[in-house]
């Protein structure tokens, strides 16, 4: 059985010292080992940004896609080989700006994959501009007088779009984040996990100390029921999205793949794509 070390490779991450993405990487590796996966049973698909590098730092199948397009790639991988555990990862700029359309439709489609977003409220790779998650008044090189736009509450949006597994965590809480990823991967449907992952270089507002002061755990809320969608929305709105833990899970959900009658038990990648001459001529005749 694979261990945490088996999901390591020889590539040293070049994130800034103190970046929260290190913990996200470690949590994915630990979760994969705890679930009992082998490296060749896991695929990490990423987009562009500091977070996009993660697909090259884990010993598993990996694909580093283009900006905002990690989710279409991840869904394609899952459709071609449903035996693979697919984790798509990216940043708040990647997933909630240029890739927002893909995020919404992946949520409503309920594809059986896990989407982990490293949310640092800024564009780090391009040296510090506002992202859709930056608060109003946030000062950056591109907004020297402060951003005039309000921050997107992605938790409200995801729940409204029909997400069947919704969670949020903090990169410094390795134990909780690992557990959440494990449960997200084992959920039959689209699992959306937003992770506050502070950018220590360009975001001097939303720091580790800031999150420790402002985040509220749903585990500390009396009577919280993660199967209650209305309560999840009310809690998210009450705390302006600054809640962590598993916020909602539809335990009776059915994934996209399970609803397709023509999806075979044998993955597409293992099926023969050879067409004999008779079959080819029959198909061609339909277009003549």
């Amino acid at each position: 059985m694979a261990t945490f070390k088996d999901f390591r490779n020889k590539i040293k991450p070049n994130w800034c010292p103190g970046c929260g993405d290190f913990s996200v990487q470690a949590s994915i590796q630990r979760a994969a080992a705890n679930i009992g996966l082998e490296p060749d049973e896991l695929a990490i698909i990423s987009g562009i940004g500091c977070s996009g590098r993660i697909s090259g730092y884990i010993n598993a199948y990996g694909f580093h896609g283009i900006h905002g397009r990690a989710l279409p790639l991840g869904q394609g991988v899952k459709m071609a080989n449903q035996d693979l555990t697919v984790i798509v990862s990216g940043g708040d700029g990647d997933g909630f700006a240029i890739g927002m359309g893909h995020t919404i439709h992946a949520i409503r489609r309920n594809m059986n994959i896990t989407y982990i977003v490293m949310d640092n409220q800024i564009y780090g790779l391009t040296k510090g501009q506002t992202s859709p998650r930056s608060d109003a008044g946030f000062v950056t090189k591109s907004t020297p007088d402060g951003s005039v736009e309000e921050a997107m509450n992605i938790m409200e949006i995801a729940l409204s779009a029909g997400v069947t597994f919704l969670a949020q965590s903090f990169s410094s809480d390795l134990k909780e984040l690992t557990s959440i990823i494990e449960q997200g991967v084992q959920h039959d449907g689209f699992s959306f996990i937003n992770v506050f992952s502070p950018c220590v270089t360009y975001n001097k507002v939303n720091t580790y100390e800031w999150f420790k002061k402002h985040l509220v755990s749903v585990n500390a809320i009396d009577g919280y029921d993660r199967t209650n969608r209305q309560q999840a929305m009310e809690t998210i709105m009450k705390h302006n999205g600054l809640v962590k833990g598993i916020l909602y899970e539809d335990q009776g959900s059915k994934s996209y793949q399970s609803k397709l009658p023509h999806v075979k038990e044998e993955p597409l990648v293992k099926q023969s794509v050879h067409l004999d001459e008779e079959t080819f001529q029959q198909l061609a005749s339909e277009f003549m």
Side-chain angles (χ1 to χ4, degrees):
M1 181 179 292
T3 67
F4 168 75
K5 293 181 179 179
D6 292 315
F7 289 93
R8 291 177 174 173
N9 59 27
K10 296 181 180 180
I11 302 174
K12 185 178 180 180
N14 63 349
W15 292 313
C16 300
C19 176
D21 294 359
F22 285 101
S23 295
V24 177
Q25 177 190 336
S27 295
I28 292 173
Q29 293 167 316
R30 291 176 187 274
N34 291 347
I35 291 169
L37 295 175
E38 297 292 332
D40 63 354
E41 295 174 331
L42 174 64
I44 308 292
I45 315 297
S46 63
I48 297 297
C50 297
S51 58
R53 295 167 172 162
I54 198 169
S55 58
Y57 298 156
I58 297 176
N59 183 34
Y61 290 116
F63 193 98
H64 192 169
I66 60 175
H67 203 195
R69 306 296 182 254
L71 277 169
L73 289 166
Q75 291 172 87
V77 170
K78 189 65 176 182
M79 288 300 296
N81 189 356
Q82 64 261 34
D83 287 349
L84 279 176
T85 293
V86 177
I87 294 178
V88 179
S89 62
D92 47 306
D94 186 70
F96 309 148
I98 190 171
M100 188 62 195
H102 294 302
T103 300
I104 289 292
H105 291 293
I107 288 172
R108 75 172 184 84
R109 192 171 291 124
N110 202 31
M111 187 74 69
N112 190 17
I113 62 177
T114 302
Y115 185 35
I116 300 173
V117 176
M118 285 158 266
D119 185 354
N120 59 14
Q121 297 87 53
I122 202 166
Y123 283 101
L125 191 65
T126 52
K127 306 297 186 279
Q129 297 82 27
T130 55
S131 87
R133 294 280 288 150
S134 301
D135 288 326
F138 194 69
V139 176
T140 69
K141 295 174 182 178
S142 59
T143 55
D145 295 324
S147 175
V148 297
E149 298 178 342
E150 295 294 330
M152 175 186 290
N153 192 325
I154 192 61
M155 294 290 103
E156 288 184 17
I157 294 172
L159 202 55
S160 298
V163 71
T164 58
F165 184 97
L166 179 65
Q168 192 159 244
S169 192
F170 182 31
S171 63
S172 70
D173 194 340
L174 192 64
K175 183 178 180 180
E176 180 194 65
L177 179 54
T178 300
S179 175
I180 286 175
I181 293 174
E182 289 177 33
Q183 294 176 72
V185 168
Q186 293 171 322
H187 173 75
D188 184 25
F190 189 86
S191 301
F192 176 43
I193 303 170
N194 195 62
V195 184
F196 291 117
S197 180
C199 175
V200 295
T201 302
Y202 295 108
N203 190 339
K204 304 299 184 181
V205 176
N206 308 113
T207 62
Y208 285 97
E209 291 304 317
W210 188 91
F211 281 113
K212 289 176 182 177
K213 181 179 178 180
H214 290 88
L215 278 176
V216 175
S217 173
V218 293
N219 296 327
I221 300 174
D222 290 338
Y224 190 84
D225 178 6
R226 75 190 206 189
T227 66
N228 187 326
R229 188 165 178 261
Q230 181 175 336
Q231 185 182 25
M233 180 64 84
E234 291 173 351
T235 301
I236 291 167
M237 295 178 69
K238 177 181 179 180
H239 298 284
N240 195 29
L242 291 171
V243 284
K244 69 187 188 81
I246 298 177
L247 309 182
Y248 176 69
E249 181 177 13
D250 180 351
Q251 297 175 339
S253 67
K254 292 185 177 181
S255 65
Y256 181 83
Q257 288 91 338
S258 68
K259 299 176 183 178
L260 299 179
H262 62 277
V263 174
K264 298 182 179 180
E265 291 184 7
E266 185 180 42
L268 180 63
V269 293
K270 295 180 181 178
Q271 297 176 33
S272 173
V273 294
H274 174 73
L275 284 179
D276 57 61
E277 183 65 23
E278 182 180 354
T279 303
F280 174 76
Q281 293 298 338
Q282 182 181 355
L283 290 171
S285 66
E286 297 179 11
F287 298 93
M288 301 298 286

